[in-house]
Amino acid sequence: MYKIGIDVGGTNTDAIILDKNSKLIHSVKSPTSLNIKTGIENALRDLLIEADIDKSKITHAMLGTTQCTNAIVERKKLAKVGVIRLGYPATASVLPYTAWPKDMIEKLSGNYALVHGGYEYDGQLLGELDEEEIRTLLEDWQDKVESIAIVGVFSSIKNDQELKVRDLIQEAYGEEFPISCSSLIGSVGLIERENATILNAALCRVIEITTKGFVHALEEEGIFDADVYLCQNDGTLMSIEYAKQFPILTIACGPTNSIRGASYLAKIKNTMVLDVGGTTSDIGVLQDGFPRESSVAVEVGDIRTNFRMPDIISVGLGGGSIVRVNNGKITVGPDSVGYRIGQEALVFGGKTLTTTDIAVRLGFADVGDKSLVAHIDEEFAKDVLFEISSLIEQAIDKMKTSSEDVQLVLVGGGSIIVPDKIRGVSNSIKTENGGVANAIGASISQISGQYEQIYIYSRESREDSLKDAQDKAVKQAILAGAVSDTIELVEVEETPLAYHPENATRLRVKVVGEMG
Amino acid sequence: MRYLDKEAIEHIAIGAAFLGTGGGGDPYIGKLMALSAIEKNGPVKLYSVDEIDDEDFFIPAAMMGAPSVLVEKFPRGDEFVKVFQKLAKYLGKEKITGTYPMEAGGVNSMIPIVVAAQLGIPLIDCDGMGRAFPELQMVTFHLDGVSATPMAITDEKGNIGIIETIDNKWTERIARAATVEMGASSLVSLYPTTGAQIKKSGVHHIITLSEKIGEIISSKDKDANGKLQELLRLVSGYELFQGKIIDVIRETKGGFNLGKMNLEGIEENKDENMKVHFQNENLIAEKNDQVVGMTPDLICLVDYETLLPVTTESLKYGKRVRVIGLPAHEKWRTEKGIETAGPKYFGYDYDYVPIEEMVKKVVVKHV
C-alpha cells in the first residue's frame, strides 16, 4: 500500500509518496498554478511517472491546502452568508459584522438576524426558540443567501437550539444546504466565535471546488479507490464530508504540516521546529507529536476569531533576506529577494547581499560560487551572523515555556543560513528531505475529535464531566473518519470561570485515532 | 469640553485596561459597544471636573458581574437608558447632568461612553477608583461616606429593581446575589452624586489619563523601552520586573477568580523571580520573596514587546511581560482607604507600605 501527500503552498505544490512503513519513496516540487486543479494534476502526474509504482496500491491520498486562507485574504469565491444569532433581546448592543472590513461584508452580502433564544452561563434558558420566527426569516432569505451561520449565546454549554435551527433550515432549503453551527467551530466569546462561524459558512464553495478538484485529479491519474482526506491545522486529517462542514479548519495547516513533518523526519515527538523559507521563517512547538495551540484570539483576514489555530510565530528572516548597513548599524530583512535569489544573491552572480551570501562566506553553507563572496570582510560577516542569530534566538525564546534549552529541528530551503550554535538551543538537527516536510506532515497524520463545554462540577462530578466530554469528542473523531477502537485521549484543558458561585469550569478534550 | 471620537475611545480602552491591573475585563466587547453607540449617536462630550457646577446631578454607570459572561452574553443596548431613568425617577430628579465610570477598567471605562452617547449627556472626566477593584464599596465616594444607594439594577431581559441598603457592604452583597440570578451580568447605576461630591471625592482626570496611556502604548514611532520610559513618567510608576510567566495557579472561590502566577526573570532580571497574587485584580507582587508592591497601589502587567495590558484571564505559560507598579490615588492611602482595599482586607497579613518606599528599600538592599 502507498500513501500520497500533496501540499499546495503559495509558491510551490509539493507531492510525495510514502510506502506502508511511511518511508519516503519519492517527492516532487512544482510551481503552484493559478488554477489549483491543474497545479495538483501536474504535481501528481510527475510524481507517479517518476516514482513508477503500482497505482492500484494507493490506498490514501491527503491534501493540505491554502485555498481557504487565500479566498478570505483575496475575498474571492466566498458565499453569501445569512447570520442567525440566537439571543435577542440580549446582545443587540453589538451587531453581527461590527468591526469587519467593509469590502468583506459586501462580499458576504451582510444578511443577519437577531432572534429569540440562547442560554445563560449555567445552562438555564435565556430565551425560548421561536420556530415561527425562524421560518418567516427563512422565507425572507430564500434566494438571498447561499449558506447560513447559526450562533447561540452560550451554545458551548448547550447547543440544542443551534441544532434545532439547523433542522428548520434543512426543512426549508433542503438537506444539502450548507449550514455552520458555532458550537462546533469556536470557543467561548460570542463575537469571535460568530466571526469564525461566518467565515466557515462563507468558505462552503471554495472547499467544494477544492475537494472536487482533488478527487478529479486523482481520477484522471487512475486512482479511484483511495480514501481521500484534507489536512486540518491541528496536525490531523478530516474526511471530505467533514471538510465540507468545517472548511475553516484548513486555515494554517501549512505550517502545522511542516512542523509535524519535521518531527517525523527527525523522529522526535517533543521539539521546537524552525522552518526557514526565502523571506520568512515559521516557528512552532510540538507537544507529544501535535502542534501547540494558540490561546489568544487570532485575526484571519483582519477579522478577529477564536477557532483553534496553531501557535506559530513568523519572523522576517529567510535565505533571501537582504543585508544592509545603515549609519554603521547592520540590518537583516525583513525584505528579501525572494524567488529571485538565483539571480540576485552575490554567490549566484547577482548584486544584492543576502543572508545566504554570509553563510557561504563563513563556510557553513555551500551553494553558488564562493569566490564571489571572498571579498567580504570576515569580521563584518561575523557581525551579520550575530544579527541573524539574535533574530532566531529571540523568536525561539518567545516560544519557550521554560528557561531550559530546547531541541530544534530545522527544515525548509532557507535553513542553510542558520548557524550550528544558537543560544537557548541544546542541539539543532537538520534533516534530509526537510524541503518537503510539509507534504510528509500531511501524509502521516491521524484523525482527531475535539469537544469543549462549560461544566458545573458541583452538579456533575469532574469524572462524569470528563467522560461526557470525551464521549462527545470521540463522536466527532468518528465523524471525521477515525476508526473507533484506535481512538485515544491526547489532551485535557480545564479553565475555571471567574465569579461563578458553583465552580464552573470550561473543559476541553481532544482525542485522536487512526484513519480507516 | 471636548469630543471623544473613535480614536479617543480606542486609546481610552487600552489605558483603562492598563489601570485595571489585570481585572476590569477585556475591553474588546466594551469597546465595540462604545464604538457602535457613537457611530449611531455621534461623538460624546467630555467635561473636566472644573467645568461642572456644584448643584449639578450625576449618576455613574457600570456593568457588574463576570467578564467571562460578558464576552458571551452582552447587553441589549437600552438597559442603560432604562436603569438611568428608573433611578432618576426614584430620586425625583428631572435632569441628570452627566455620567462617569465607577472604575477604570477595560469594560467599565466603556459603558459610560455608551450611556452618554445614547442619552446625549456629557461624560465627566473622573471615576470612583482610579483603577479597578472587585467590590462595590471599594470606591472613593464610599471613603468619604457617600451612600452607594439608592441604586438601580437591570438585565437584558427587562428585570429592574431599586435597592436601598443600610451600608455599602450590604449593597455589594445584595447586588452581587441579584447579579448572579440575572445570569452573572447586570447593569447598575449607583452612588448618585452632586457636582460638589464629585469635586471632593472623585478621582479626577482619569479618562484623560487613560487616553494618554493608550496613546503612548499604541504609538508606532517608539520602541518598547522608549514607550515604557514615557509611560512611567506619566504615571509616576516603576518597572518592577521583566519576566516570563512560568506557572499560573488558579481557583474559583466565593464568586471570585483567585490565583497566583510565578515569573522567571529575563533580560535585566535574569536569575531573579517574582510572584504576583491576584483576586480578579493583581494585589501583591513579591520579588525574590520580598514584597515590592501591594494593594491599593497598582500592579500592572503589560506585554513585554507591545506594552499592551495583560488581564488575569489571559495569563498563560511562556508569556513575556513587564510588571509595573504605580502609586494609588492618595484617597486610598488614608486609614479608611487601606482598611477598605489594603492587603489585610484581601487576606494578606502585611502592613501597607507605599510602593515608592518599598522600591527605595529594595534598591538600598541590593547596593
Side-chain angles (χ1 to χ4, degrees), chain A residues 89-93 120 126 154 189-190 193 295 397 403 496-497 499, chain B residues 67 71-76 156-157 176 252 255 264 280 316 320:
Chain A
T91 75
S93 55
E120 299 280 8
L126 170 66
F154 278 115
L190 187 92
R193 186 173 72 249
S295 62
D397 200 48
S403 59
L497 298 189
Y499 291 99
Chain B
V71 298
E72 188 68 27
K73 183 191 76 171
F74 34 91
R76 169 186 189 151
E156 76 289 337
K157 296 173 261 296
R176 182 76 54 192
T252 325
E264 178 185 82
N280 297 352
K316 72 161 194 168
R320 290 148 58 94

PDB file of all heavy atoms in Angstrom, chain A residues 89-93 120 126 154 189-190 193 295 397 403 496-497 499, chain B residues 67 71-76 156-157 176 252 255 264 280 316 320:
ATOM      1  N   PRO A  89     -33.555  39.345  23.488  1.00  0.00           N
ATOM      2  CA  PRO A  89     -33.091  40.730  23.338  1.00  0.00           C
ATOM      3  C   PRO A  89     -31.665  41.005  23.823  1.00  0.00           C
ATOM      4  O   PRO A  89     -31.194  42.124  23.633  1.00  0.00           O
ATOM      5  CB  PRO A  89     -34.082  41.512  24.203  1.00  0.00           C
ATOM      6  CG  PRO A  89     -34.475  40.549  25.279  1.00  0.00           C
ATOM      7  CD  PRO A  89     -34.459  39.203  24.644  1.00  0.00           C
ATOM      8  N   ALA A  90     -30.992  40.005  24.426  1.00  0.00           N
ATOM      9  CA  ALA A  90     -29.593  40.249  24.807  1.00  0.00           C
ATOM     10  C   ALA A  90     -28.775  40.423  23.533  1.00  0.00           C
ATOM     11  O   ALA A  90     -29.228  40.065  22.444  1.00  0.00           O
ATOM     12  CB  ALA A  90     -29.057  39.076  25.628  1.00  0.00           C
ATOM     13  N   THR A  91     -27.587  40.967  23.680  1.00  0.00           N
ATOM     14  CA  THR A  91     -26.542  41.085  22.648  1.00  0.00           C
ATOM     15  C   THR A  91     -26.804  42.093  21.525  1.00  0.00           C
ATOM     16  O   THR A  91     -25.993  42.230  20.622  1.00  0.00           O
ATOM     17  CB  THR A  91     -26.215  39.722  21.952  1.00  0.00           C
ATOM     18  OG1 THR A  91     -27.253  39.380  21.041  1.00  0.00           O
ATOM     19  CG2 THR A  91     -26.020  38.615  22.956  1.00  0.00           C
ATOM     20  N   ALA A  92     -27.957  42.798  21.576  1.00  0.00           N
ATOM     21  CA  ALA A  92     -28.250  43.716  20.472  1.00  0.00           C
ATOM     22  C   ALA A  92     -27.331  44.931  20.459  1.00  0.00           C
ATOM     23  O   ALA A  92     -27.290  45.675  19.470  1.00  0.00           O
ATOM     24  CB  ALA A  92     -29.713  44.146  20.529  1.00  0.00           C
ATOM     25  N   SER A  93     -26.570  45.148  21.545  1.00  0.00           N
ATOM     26  CA  SER A  93     -25.703  46.331  21.571  1.00  0.00           C
ATOM     27  C   SER A  93     -24.489  46.201  20.657  1.00  0.00           C
ATOM     28  O   SER A  93     -23.858  47.202  20.315  1.00  0.00           O
ATOM     29  CB  SER A  93     -25.258  46.635  23.005  1.00  0.00           C
ATOM     30  OG  SER A  93     -24.636  45.499  23.565  1.00  0.00           O
ATOM     31  N   GLU A 120     -28.119  30.900  29.487  1.00  0.00           N
ATOM     32  CA  GLU A 120     -27.315  31.606  30.476  1.00  0.00           C
ATOM     33  C   GLU A 120     -26.030  30.816  30.713  1.00  0.00           C
ATOM     34  O   GLU A 120     -25.903  29.665  30.286  1.00  0.00           O
ATOM     35  CB  GLU A 120     -28.076  31.732  31.797  1.00  0.00           C
ATOM     36  CG  GLU A 120     -29.385  32.517  31.701  1.00  0.00           C
ATOM     37  CD  GLU A 120     -29.186  34.025  31.711  1.00  0.00           C
ATOM     38  OE1 GLU A 120     -28.033  34.489  31.639  1.00  0.00           O
ATOM     39  OE2 GLU A 120     -30.196  34.743  31.795  1.00  0.00           O
ATOM     40  N   LEU A 126     -32.035  31.352  28.430  1.00  0.00           N
ATOM     41  CA  LEU A 126     -32.047  32.815  28.310  1.00  0.00           C
ATOM     42  C   LEU A 126     -33.281  33.220  27.524  1.00  0.00           C
ATOM     43  O   LEU A 126     -34.019  34.112  27.919  1.00  0.00           O
ATOM     44  CB  LEU A 126     -30.766  33.289  27.601  1.00  0.00           C
ATOM     45  CG  LEU A 126     -30.681  34.749  27.179  1.00  0.00           C
ATOM     46  CD1 LEU A 126     -30.653  35.670  28.393  1.00  0.00           C
ATOM     47  CD2 LEU A 126     -29.430  34.999  26.343  1.00  0.00           C
ATOM     48  N   PHE A 154     -24.015  31.317  24.635  1.00  0.00           N
ATOM     49  CA  PHE A 154     -23.592  30.185  25.460  1.00  0.00           C
ATOM     50  C   PHE A 154     -23.944  28.835  24.829  1.00  0.00           C
ATOM     51  O   PHE A 154     -24.279  27.883  25.525  1.00  0.00           O
ATOM     52  CB  PHE A 154     -24.151  30.285  26.890  1.00  0.00           C
ATOM     53  CG  PHE A 154     -23.316  31.185  27.768  1.00  0.00           C
ATOM     54  CD1 PHE A 154     -23.838  32.366  28.268  1.00  0.00           C
ATOM     55  CD2 PHE A 154     -22.005  30.858  28.070  1.00  0.00           C
ATOM     56  CE1 PHE A 154     -23.054  33.215  29.049  1.00  0.00           C
ATOM     57  CE2 PHE A 154     -21.222  31.691  28.858  1.00  0.00           C
ATOM     58  CZ  PHE A 154     -21.751  32.875  29.341  1.00  0.00           C
ATOM     59  N   GLY A 189     -16.841  33.215  23.780  1.00  0.00           N
ATOM     60  CA  GLY A 189     -16.541  34.546  23.228  1.00  0.00           C
ATOM     61  C   GLY A 189     -17.404  34.710  21.988  1.00  0.00           C
ATOM     62  O   GLY A 189     -17.015  34.305  20.889  1.00  0.00           O
ATOM     63  N   LEU A 190     -18.613  35.269  22.175  1.00  0.00           N
ATOM     64  CA  LEU A 190     -19.624  35.231  21.111  1.00  0.00           C
ATOM     65  C   LEU A 190     -19.163  35.879  19.813  1.00  0.00           C
ATOM     66  O   LEU A 190     -19.324  35.307  18.736  1.00  0.00           O
ATOM     67  CB  LEU A 190     -20.920  35.899  21.585  1.00  0.00           C
ATOM     68  CG  LEU A 190     -22.055  35.746  20.578  1.00  0.00           C
ATOM     69  CD1 LEU A 190     -22.885  34.512  20.861  1.00  0.00           C
ATOM     70  CD2 LEU A 190     -22.934  36.972  20.523  1.00  0.00           C
ATOM     71  N   ARG A 193     -16.457  33.859  18.088  1.00  0.00           N
ATOM     72  CA  ARG A 193     -16.988  32.595  17.594  1.00  0.00           C
ATOM     73  C   ARG A 193     -17.912  32.840  16.400  1.00  0.00           C
ATOM     74  O   ARG A 193     -17.893  32.113  15.415  1.00  0.00           O
ATOM     75  CB  ARG A 193     -17.742  31.865  18.716  1.00  0.00           C
ATOM     76  CG  ARG A 193     -18.189  30.469  18.303  1.00  0.00           C
ATOM     77  CD  ARG A 193     -18.794  29.676  19.453  1.00  0.00           C
ATOM     78  NE  ARG A 193     -20.111  30.149  19.842  1.00  0.00           N
ATOM     79  CZ  ARG A 193     -20.379  30.754  20.979  1.00  0.00           C
ATOM     80  NH1 ARG A 193     -19.431  30.944  21.866  1.00  0.00           N
ATOM     81  NH2 ARG A 193     -21.596  31.163  21.261  1.00  0.00           N
ATOM     82  N   SER A 295      -3.480  30.383  22.315  1.00  0.00           N
ATOM     83  CA  SER A 295      -4.534  30.603  23.311  1.00  0.00           C
ATOM     84  C   SER A 295      -5.112  32.008  23.216  1.00  0.00           C
ATOM     85  O   SER A 295      -5.910  32.413  24.020  1.00  0.00           O
ATOM     86  CB  SER A 295      -3.978  30.365  24.715  1.00  0.00           C
ATOM     87  OG  SER A 295      -2.953  31.288  24.965  1.00  0.00           O
ATOM     88  N   ASP A 397      13.046  32.107  21.927  1.00  0.00           N
ATOM     89  CA  ASP A 397      12.787  32.382  23.339  1.00  0.00           C
ATOM     90  C   ASP A 397      11.322  32.701  23.596  1.00  0.00           C
ATOM     91  O   ASP A 397      10.750  32.326  24.615  1.00  0.00           O
ATOM     92  CB  ASP A 397      13.687  33.522  23.821  1.00  0.00           C
ATOM     93  CG  ASP A 397      13.815  33.499  25.326  1.00  0.00           C
ATOM     94  OD1 ASP A 397      14.073  32.411  25.869  1.00  0.00           O
ATOM     95  OD2 ASP A 397      13.622  34.553  25.951  1.00  0.00           O
ATOM     96  N   SER A 403      13.045  28.120  30.931  1.00  0.00           N
ATOM     97  CA  SER A 403      14.328  28.663  30.519  1.00  0.00           C
ATOM     98  C   SER A 403      15.286  27.581  30.037  1.00  0.00           C
ATOM     99  O   SER A 403      16.380  27.857  29.586  1.00  0.00           O
ATOM    100  CB  SER A 403      14.951  29.431  31.679  1.00  0.00           C
ATOM    101  OG  SER A 403      15.115  28.549  32.755  1.00  0.00           O
ATOM    102  N   PRO A 496     -11.186  27.314  35.069  1.00  0.00           N
ATOM    103  CA  PRO A 496     -12.292  27.757  35.923  1.00  0.00           C
ATOM    104  C   PRO A 496     -12.779  29.153  35.528  1.00  0.00           C
ATOM    105  O   PRO A 496     -11.989  29.983  35.099  1.00  0.00           O
ATOM    106  CB  PRO A 496     -11.683  27.773  37.329  1.00  0.00           C
ATOM    107  CG  PRO A 496     -10.249  27.456  37.189  1.00  0.00           C
ATOM    108  CD  PRO A 496      -9.907  27.240  35.764  1.00  0.00           C
ATOM    109  N   LEU A 497     -14.098  29.407  35.657  1.00  0.00           N
ATOM    110  CA  LEU A 497     -14.659  30.697  35.265  1.00  0.00           C
ATOM    111  C   LEU A 497     -14.740  31.655  36.449  1.00  0.00           C
ATOM    112  O   LEU A 497     -15.197  31.278  37.522  1.00  0.00           O
ATOM    113  CB  LEU A 497     -16.064  30.513  34.686  1.00  0.00           C
ATOM    114  CG  LEU A 497     -16.175  29.672  33.427  1.00  0.00           C
ATOM    115  CD1 LEU A 497     -17.580  29.783  32.864  1.00  0.00           C
ATOM    116  CD2 LEU A 497     -15.171  30.116  32.384  1.00  0.00           C
ATOM    117  N   TYR A 499     -15.956  34.527  39.004  1.00  0.00           N
ATOM    118  CA  TYR A 499     -17.215  34.966  39.611  1.00  0.00           C
ATOM    119  C   TYR A 499     -18.279  33.881  39.744  1.00  0.00           C
ATOM    120  O   TYR A 499     -19.306  34.085  40.348  1.00  0.00           O
ATOM    121  CB  TYR A 499     -17.876  36.120  38.825  1.00  0.00           C
ATOM    122  CG  TYR A 499     -17.152  37.437  38.884  1.00  0.00           C
ATOM    123  CD1 TYR A 499     -16.334  37.827  37.837  1.00  0.00           C
ATOM    124  CD2 TYR A 499     -17.311  38.293  39.965  1.00  0.00           C
ATOM    125  CE1 TYR A 499     -15.683  39.045  37.861  1.00  0.00           C
ATOM    126  CE2 TYR A 499     -16.665  39.515  40.000  1.00  0.00           C
ATOM    127  CZ  TYR A 499     -15.846  39.891  38.951  1.00  0.00           C
ATOM    128  OH  TYR A 499     -15.216  41.089  38.969  1.00  0.00           O
TER     129      TYR A 499
ATOM    130  N   PRO B  67     -16.588  38.917  33.837  1.00  0.00           N
ATOM    131  CA  PRO B  67     -16.112  39.259  32.497  1.00  0.00           C
ATOM    132  C   PRO B  67     -16.297  38.096  31.522  1.00  0.00           C
ATOM    133  O   PRO B  67     -16.581  38.305  30.348  1.00  0.00           O
ATOM    134  CB  PRO B  67     -14.620  39.539  32.711  1.00  0.00           C
ATOM    135  CG  PRO B  67     -14.480  39.863  34.152  1.00  0.00           C
ATOM    136  CD  PRO B  67     -15.566  39.115  34.854  1.00  0.00           C
ATOM    137  N   VAL B  71     -18.416  38.340  27.653  1.00  0.00           N
ATOM    138  CA  VAL B  71     -17.927  38.065  26.305  1.00  0.00           C
ATOM    139  C   VAL B  71     -18.884  37.175  25.519  1.00  0.00           C
ATOM    140  O   VAL B  71     -18.754  37.020  24.312  1.00  0.00           O
ATOM    141  CB  VAL B  71     -16.517  37.406  26.283  1.00  0.00           C
ATOM    142  CG1 VAL B  71     -15.494  38.324  26.912  1.00  0.00           C
ATOM    143  CG2 VAL B  71     -16.513  36.045  26.940  1.00  0.00           C
ATOM    144  N   GLU B  72     -19.841  36.584  26.218  1.00  0.00           N
ATOM    145  CA  GLU B  72     -20.780  35.685  25.529  1.00  0.00           C
ATOM    146  C   GLU B  72     -22.171  36.318  25.467  1.00  0.00           C
ATOM    147  O   GLU B  72     -22.819  36.329  24.432  1.00  0.00           O
ATOM    148  CB  GLU B  72     -20.818  34.353  26.287  1.00  0.00           C
ATOM    149  CG  GLU B  72     -21.581  33.256  25.604  1.00  0.00           C
ATOM    150  CD  GLU B  72     -20.920  32.757  24.339  1.00  0.00           C
ATOM    151  OE1 GLU B  72     -19.680  32.843  24.192  1.00  0.00           O
ATOM    152  OE2 GLU B  72     -21.641  32.272  23.466  1.00  0.00           O
ATOM    153  N   LYS B  73     -22.630  36.853  26.599  1.00  0.00           N
ATOM    154  CA  LYS B  73     -23.961  37.474  26.641  1.00  0.00           C
ATOM    155  C   LYS B  73     -23.781  38.941  26.988  1.00  0.00           C
ATOM    156  O   LYS B  73     -23.554  39.276  28.129  1.00  0.00           O
ATOM    157  CB  LYS B  73     -24.821  36.776  27.712  1.00  0.00           C
ATOM    158  CG  LYS B  73     -26.245  37.299  27.772  1.00  0.00           C
ATOM    159  CD  LYS B  73     -26.992  36.791  28.990  1.00  0.00           C
ATOM    160  CE  LYS B  73     -26.585  37.501  30.268  1.00  0.00           C
ATOM    161  NZ  LYS B  73     -27.436  37.166  31.419  1.00  0.00           N
ATOM    162  N   PHE B  74     -23.842  39.787  25.989  1.00  0.00           N
ATOM    163  CA  PHE B  74     -23.671  41.211  26.273  1.00  0.00           C
ATOM    164  C   PHE B  74     -25.013  41.923  26.165  1.00  0.00           C
ATOM    165  O   PHE B  74     -26.004  41.352  25.728  1.00  0.00           O
ATOM    166  CB  PHE B  74     -22.587  41.838  25.394  1.00  0.00           C
ATOM    167  CG  PHE B  74     -22.495  41.277  24.017  1.00  0.00           C
ATOM    168  CD1 PHE B  74     -23.211  41.841  22.974  1.00  0.00           C
ATOM    169  CD2 PHE B  74     -21.688  40.177  23.761  1.00  0.00           C
ATOM    170  CE1 PHE B  74     -23.128  41.317  21.695  1.00  0.00           C
ATOM    171  CE2 PHE B  74     -21.607  39.645  22.490  1.00  0.00           C
ATOM    172  CZ  PHE B  74     -22.331  40.211  21.452  1.00  0.00           C
ATOM    173  N   PRO B  75     -25.081  43.200  26.593  1.00  0.00           N
ATOM    174  CA  PRO B  75     -26.387  43.855  26.750  1.00  0.00           C
ATOM    175  C   PRO B  75     -27.172  44.033  25.453  1.00  0.00           C
ATOM    176  O   PRO B  75     -26.628  43.985  24.361  1.00  0.00           O
ATOM    177  CB  PRO B  75     -26.025  45.217  27.324  1.00  0.00           C
ATOM    178  CG  PRO B  75     -24.686  45.059  27.918  1.00  0.00           C
ATOM    179  CD  PRO B  75     -23.990  44.034  27.094  1.00  0.00           C
ATOM    180  N   ARG B  76     -28.461  44.254  25.649  1.00  0.00           N
ATOM    181  CA  ARG B  76     -29.352  44.555  24.541  1.00  0.00           C
ATOM    182  C   ARG B  76     -29.046  45.942  24.002  1.00  0.00           C
ATOM    183  O   ARG B  76     -29.082  46.186  22.808  1.00  0.00           O
ATOM    184  CB  ARG B  76     -30.774  44.504  25.096  1.00  0.00           C
ATOM    185  CG  ARG B  76     -31.841  45.031  24.208  1.00  0.00           C
ATOM    186  CD  ARG B  76     -33.165  45.040  24.989  1.00  0.00           C
ATOM    187  NE  ARG B  76     -34.267  45.348  24.110  1.00  0.00           N
ATOM    188  CZ  ARG B  76     -35.509  44.904  24.309  1.00  0.00           C
ATOM    189  NH1 ARG B  76     -35.771  44.136  25.332  1.00  0.00           N
ATOM    190  NH2 ARG B  76     -36.457  45.230  23.486  1.00  0.00           N
ATOM    191  N   GLU B 156     -30.742  42.338  30.647  1.00  0.00           N
ATOM    192  CA  GLU B 156     -31.169  42.479  29.255  1.00  0.00           C
ATOM    193  C   GLU B 156     -32.582  41.966  29.045  1.00  0.00           C
ATOM    194  O   GLU B 156     -33.220  42.267  28.054  1.00  0.00           O
ATOM    195  CB  GLU B 156     -30.178  41.776  28.327  1.00  0.00           C
ATOM    196  CG  GLU B 156     -30.251  40.258  28.282  1.00  0.00           C
ATOM    197  CD  GLU B 156     -29.755  39.560  29.554  1.00  0.00           C
ATOM    198  OE1 GLU B 156     -28.962  40.172  30.299  1.00  0.00           O
ATOM    199  OE2 GLU B 156     -30.174  38.412  29.796  1.00  0.00           O
ATOM    200  N   LYS B 157     -33.088  41.181  30.049  1.00  0.00           N
ATOM    201  CA  LYS B 157     -34.425  40.623  29.912  1.00  0.00           C
ATOM    202  C   LYS B 157     -35.503  41.655  30.240  1.00  0.00           C
ATOM    203  O   LYS B 157     -36.639  41.521  29.826  1.00  0.00           O
ATOM    204  CB  LYS B 157     -34.568  39.417  30.841  1.00  0.00           C
ATOM    205  CG  LYS B 157     -33.646  38.276  30.477  1.00  0.00           C
ATOM    206  CD  LYS B 157     -33.661  37.161  31.502  1.00  0.00           C
ATOM    207  CE  LYS B 157     -32.511  37.194  32.477  1.00  0.00           C
ATOM    208  NZ  LYS B 157     -31.183  37.015  31.948  1.00  0.00           N
ATOM    209  N   ARG B 176     -24.632  41.665  44.339  1.00  0.00           N
ATOM    210  CA  ARG B 176     -23.897  40.504  43.797  1.00  0.00           C
ATOM    211  C   ARG B 176     -24.857  39.325  43.640  1.00  0.00           C
ATOM    212  O   ARG B 176     -24.861  38.651  42.614  1.00  0.00           O
ATOM    213  CB  ARG B 176     -22.746  40.151  44.748  1.00  0.00           C
ATOM    214  CG  ARG B 176     -21.852  39.010  44.334  1.00  0.00           C
ATOM    215  CD  ARG B 176     -20.868  39.330  43.236  1.00  0.00           C
ATOM    216  NE  ARG B 176     -20.039  40.488  43.526  1.00  0.00           N
ATOM    217  CZ  ARG B 176     -19.258  41.089  42.614  1.00  0.00           C
ATOM    218  NH1 ARG B 176     -19.212  40.640  41.377  1.00  0.00           N
ATOM    219  NH2 ARG B 176     -18.560  42.151  42.926  1.00  0.00           N
ATOM    220  N   THR B 252     -11.389  29.125  41.901  1.00  0.00           N
ATOM    221  CA  THR B 252     -12.570  29.970  41.950  1.00  0.00           C
ATOM    222  C   THR B 252     -13.163  29.820  43.334  1.00  0.00           C
ATOM    223  O   THR B 252     -13.470  28.706  43.760  1.00  0.00           O
ATOM    224  CB  THR B 252     -13.599  29.514  40.906  1.00  0.00           C
ATOM    225  OG1 THR B 252     -12.894  29.049  39.780  1.00  0.00           O
ATOM    226  CG2 THR B 252     -14.527  30.629  40.509  1.00  0.00           C
ATOM    227  N   GLY B 255     -17.153  33.245  44.337  1.00  0.00           N
ATOM    228  CA  GLY B 255     -17.519  34.057  43.185  1.00  0.00           C
ATOM    229  C   GLY B 255     -16.387  34.917  42.668  1.00  0.00           C
ATOM    230  O   GLY B 255     -16.601  35.866  41.919  1.00  0.00           O
ATOM    231  N   GLU B 264       9.625  34.144  35.904  1.00  0.00           N
ATOM    232  CA  GLU B 264      11.062  33.912  35.920  1.00  0.00           C
ATOM    233  C   GLU B 264      11.694  35.101  35.206  1.00  0.00           C
ATOM    234  O   GLU B 264      11.212  35.497  34.138  1.00  0.00           O
ATOM    235  CB  GLU B 264      11.291  32.619  35.156  1.00  0.00           C
ATOM    236  CG  GLU B 264      12.695  32.179  34.993  1.00  0.00           C
ATOM    237  CD  GLU B 264      12.696  30.935  34.098  1.00  0.00           C
ATOM    238  OE1 GLU B 264      12.641  31.098  32.882  1.00  0.00           O
ATOM    239  OE2 GLU B 264      12.721  29.827  34.649  1.00  0.00           O
ATOM    240  N   ASN B 280      -9.127  38.598  40.819  1.00  0.00           N
ATOM    241  CA  ASN B 280      -9.524  39.347  39.629  1.00  0.00           C
ATOM    242  C   ASN B 280      -8.449  40.374  39.275  1.00  0.00           C
ATOM    243  O   ASN B 280      -7.898  40.363  38.200  1.00  0.00           O
ATOM    244  CB  ASN B 280     -10.861  40.060  39.768  1.00  0.00           C
ATOM    245  CG  ASN B 280     -12.013  39.104  39.978  1.00  0.00           C
ATOM    246  OD1 ASN B 280     -11.844  37.897  39.885  1.00  0.00           O
ATOM    247  ND2 ASN B 280     -13.164  39.628  40.241  1.00  0.00           N
ATOM    248  N   LYS B 316      -0.886  33.232  30.531  1.00  0.00           N
ATOM    249  CA  LYS B 316      -0.553  31.885  30.064  1.00  0.00           C
ATOM    250  C   LYS B 316       0.938  31.624  30.166  1.00  0.00           C
ATOM    251  O   LYS B 316       1.748  32.549  30.159  1.00  0.00           O
ATOM    252  CB  LYS B 316      -1.060  31.665  28.643  1.00  0.00           C
ATOM    253  CG  LYS B 316      -0.289  32.400  27.579  1.00  0.00           C
ATOM    254  CD  LYS B 316      -0.545  31.771  26.212  1.00  0.00           C
ATOM    255  CE  LYS B 316       0.470  32.285  25.214  1.00  0.00           C
ATOM    256  NZ  LYS B 316       0.518  31.587  23.973  1.00  0.00           N
ATOM    257  N   ARG B 320       5.736  36.709  27.939  1.00  0.00           N
ATOM    258  CA  ARG B 320       6.774  37.602  28.443  1.00  0.00           C
ATOM    259  C   ARG B 320       6.144  38.937  28.789  1.00  0.00           C
ATOM    260  O   ARG B 320       5.475  39.543  27.976  1.00  0.00           O
ATOM    261  CB  ARG B 320       7.864  37.784  27.384  1.00  0.00           C
ATOM    262  CG  ARG B 320       8.690  36.531  27.161  1.00  0.00           C
ATOM    263  CD  ARG B 320       9.169  36.417  25.751  1.00  0.00           C
ATOM    264  NE  ARG B 320       9.961  37.537  25.332  1.00  0.00           N
ATOM    265  CZ  ARG B 320      11.297  37.574  25.392  1.00  0.00           C
ATOM    266  NH1 ARG B 320      11.960  36.537  25.831  1.00  0.00           N
ATOM    267  NH2 ARG B 320      11.952  38.626  24.981  1.00  0.00           N
TER     268      ARG B 320
END
